[in-house]
Amino acid sequence: MLEPPDLPLNVRANASTESRDRLRTIEREFRKRDMDIVYEFIRNRKTMRKRMNWKKCFDEGRVNGYFENCKDHHSLK
């Protein structure tokens, strides 16, 4: 394979393209796991001194986008 030709001495790289990262870094969003939501719900119920309500836990989690792989509140037990 042939080597590229030499550039004239007065030619240099454009300052805007020298060492610029073209892709911006997107920070990963922390998302809780399904069981983290359950444990948090249980802790809240204990502090309020109320009995565990699995259906209410399931319904609140579903509203917030969790428990997509669960059929109903019995799956959380």
Side-chain angles (χ1 to χ4, degrees), residues 17-71:
T17 61
E18 276 183 351
S19 62
R20 190 177 193 179
D21 188 12
R22 297 277 180 202
L23 301 176
R24 65 185 172 102
T25 304
I26 299 174
E27 295 297 323
R28 183 175 172 208
E29 172 182 318
F30 175 73
R31 179 166 164 81
K32 294 180 182 177
R33 296 177 298 158
D34 288 350
M35 289 312 293
D36 293 335
I37 298 300
V38 172
Y39 295 142
E40 186 177 305
F41 189 87
I42 291 171
R43 276 193 306 272
N44 290 340
R45 297 297 279 191
K46 284 182 179 180
T47 58
M48 293 186 301
R49 296 188 179 266
K50 292 187 177 182
R51 291 179 55 110
M52 181 57 191
N53 185 339
W54 290 103
K55 178 151 178 44
K56 187 171 184 176
C57 177
F58 178 77
D59 292 340
E60 286 182 17
R62 270 290 173 99
V63 167
N64 293 321
Y66 294 95
F67 310 133
E68 294 173 356
N69 296 330
C70 299
K71 179 180 174 185

